[in-house]
């Protein structure tokens, strides 16, 4: 038998030894029953691994990955993963995470058509064709691709929320929260995109995905949120130092 991949076995030994040196009980803990709080539905892109991006150890996040993080409601693979995560592992959060510059989404936007891959990407292709005029107004191809990557995340969160697995969990009062995130490979930062759903009522109140194409939301990183909060707190302090007289003395809420 060929042993051309011995260098990977060597790297495995080095990795295992380094883990044991840093934490002698690391693998003992890993051998125990996994109790993750999160299910990550992400893209198969080799540059994006959930544990690394989130800074979590193995066992802390249950992972499903496929090309362009698509949720096909007829795909037994992803449905089995969601069912196991929700009903057996009792995860509290399902995160659908796409990424900018996604090759799968890029493939869905071209006119070239194949067989299996393009069948898999068909929901993205159909949505793009439906709103081709809107996307054509964007400045360049990179902007169109990034916007479609965002829209794809929002669409897939909706698809997860429409599964009977998630509906049943909400109906029985199980704590289960759905989140839409997007990742930028160029800076390593996750961005909160939404939607965030915790009930059937919240899901049913969502605007349609067609509405989201026409009315985009800003994807916000934790760094940006912290900066916005800091500026908001600073502005509040400055307002509190001013006399409460007339429009200049009003807070954002309209009250002194």
């Amino acid at each position: 038998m060929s042993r051309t991949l011995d260098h990977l076995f060597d790297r495995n030994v080095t990795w295992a030894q380094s883990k044991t040196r840093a934490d002698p009980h690391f693998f003992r803990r890993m051998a125990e029953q996994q109790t993750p709080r999160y299910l990550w539905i992400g893209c198969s892109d080799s540059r994006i691994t959930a544990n690394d991006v989130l800074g979590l150890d193995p066992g802390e996040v249950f992972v499903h990955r496929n090309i362009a993080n698509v949720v096909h409601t007829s795909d037994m693979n992803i449905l089995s993963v969601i069912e196991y995560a929700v009903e057996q592992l009792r995860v509290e959060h399902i995160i659908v995470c796409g990424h900018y510059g996604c090759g799968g989404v890029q493939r869905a936007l071209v006119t070239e058509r194949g067989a299996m891959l393009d069948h898999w990407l068909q929901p993205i292709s159909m949505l793009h064709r439906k709103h081709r005029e809107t996307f054509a107004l964007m400045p360049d191809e990179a902007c169109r691709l990034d916007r479609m990557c965002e829209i794809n995340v929002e669409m897939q969160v909706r698809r997860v929320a429409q599964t009977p697995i998630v509906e049943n969990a909400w109906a029985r009062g199980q704590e289960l929260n759905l989140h839409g995130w997007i990742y930028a490979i160029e800076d390593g930062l996750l961005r909160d995109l939404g939607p965030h759903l915790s009930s059937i009522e919240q899901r049913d109140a969502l605007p349609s995905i067609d509405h989201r194409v026409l009315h985009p939301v800003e994807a916000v990183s934790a760094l940006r949120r912290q900066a916005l909060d800091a500026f908001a707190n600073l502005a509040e302090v400055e307002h509190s130092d001013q006399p409460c007289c007339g429009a200049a003395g009003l807070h954002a809420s309209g009250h002194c």
Side-chain angles (χ1 to χ4, degrees):
M1 183 181 70
S2 173
R3 300 179 60 183
T4 57
L5 294 179
D6 279 359
H7 64 287
L8 294 183
F9 280 92
D10 293 340
R11 291 177 67 90
N12 168 250
V13 171
T14 301
W15 171 78
Q17 291 175 341
S18 67
K19 283 291 187 181
T20 303
R21 281 195 299 270
D23 181 357
H25 303 293
F26 179 81
F27 290 108
R28 186 180 302 172
R29 290 199 311 276
M30 291 303 102
E32 297 173 357
Q33 178 65 37
Q34 61 174 340
T35 55
R37 297 177 57 204
Y38 316 100
L39 167 61
W40 171 283
I41 299 175
C43 182
S44 296
D45 192 298
S46 61
R47 298 166 293 179
I48 306 164
T49 54
N51 289 83
D52 289 336
V53 168
L54 297 171
L56 296 177
D57 283 333
E60 294 188 87
V61 55
F62 197 56
V63 176
H64 175 87
R65 299 169 70 188
N66 63 55
I67 296 174
N69 44 273
V70 175
V71 179
H72 276 284
T73 54
S74 60
D75 176 23
M76 294 299 102
N77 188 341
I78 194 168
L79 291 178
S80 298
V81 169
I82 295 173
E83 181 178 83
Y84 186 79
V86 171
E87 297 185 4
Q88 301 299 317
L89 298 177
R90 309 284 288 189
V91 298
E92 298 173 14
H93 303 273
I94 299 177
I95 301 161
V96 177
C97 186
H99 66 97
Y100 291 115
C102 178
V105 174
Q106 186 175 33
R107 168 72 184 195
L109 306 188
V110 302
T111 56
E112 178 185 354
R113 310 298 289 162
M116 293 301 297
L117 177 58
D118 293 301
H119 171 76
W120 179 260
L121 299 170
Q122 187 72 348
I124 307 173
S125 299
M126 291 177 64
L127 186 65
H128 178 256
R129 286 199 299 269
K130 183 177 183 180
H131 296 281
R132 189 182 300 276
E133 293 182 359
T134 299
F135 284 99
L137 296 175
M138 296 179 184
D140 53 44
E141 192 64 34
C143 290
R144 286 189 283 274
L145 174 57
D146 285 348
R147 182 70 193 111
M148 196 67 223
C149 291
E150 293 175 343
I151 285 293
N152 182 46
V153 168
E154 296 190 61
M155 179 166 61
Q156 305 314 324
V157 173
R158 285 164 168 78
R159 288 181 159 215
V160 174
Q162 291 164 1
T163 63
I165 302 164
V166 171
E167 278 193 341
N168 290 339
W170 282 334
R172 62 178 174 259
Q174 182 175 338
E175 181 181 357
L176 184 61
N177 307 283
L178 274 54
H179 312 272
W181 295 355
I182 194 161
Y183 175 76
I185 295 174
E186 62 268 19
D187 62 16
L189 295 178
L190 291 163
R191 287 160 173 78
D192 191 359
L193 183 63
H196 298 278
L197 305 173
S198 303
S199 68
I200 293 174
E201 292 74 22
Q202 290 179 355
R203 181 204 64 189
D204 292 347
L206 281 175
S208 70
I209 195 65
D210 296 311
H211 181 274
R212 299 305 313 132
V213 173
L214 301 174
H215 301 87
V217 297
E218 181 184 5
V220 182
S221 70
L223 288 179
R224 177 163 171 75
R225 184 184 291 115
Q226 292 165 6
L228 290 172
D229 289 344
F231 280 117
N233 292 335
L234 179 61
E236 186 174 340
V237 170
E238 290 177 349
H239 278 298
S240 66
D241 291 338
Q242 297 176 359
C244 186
C245 300
L250 297 179
H251 290 294
S253 63
H255 301 288
C256 293

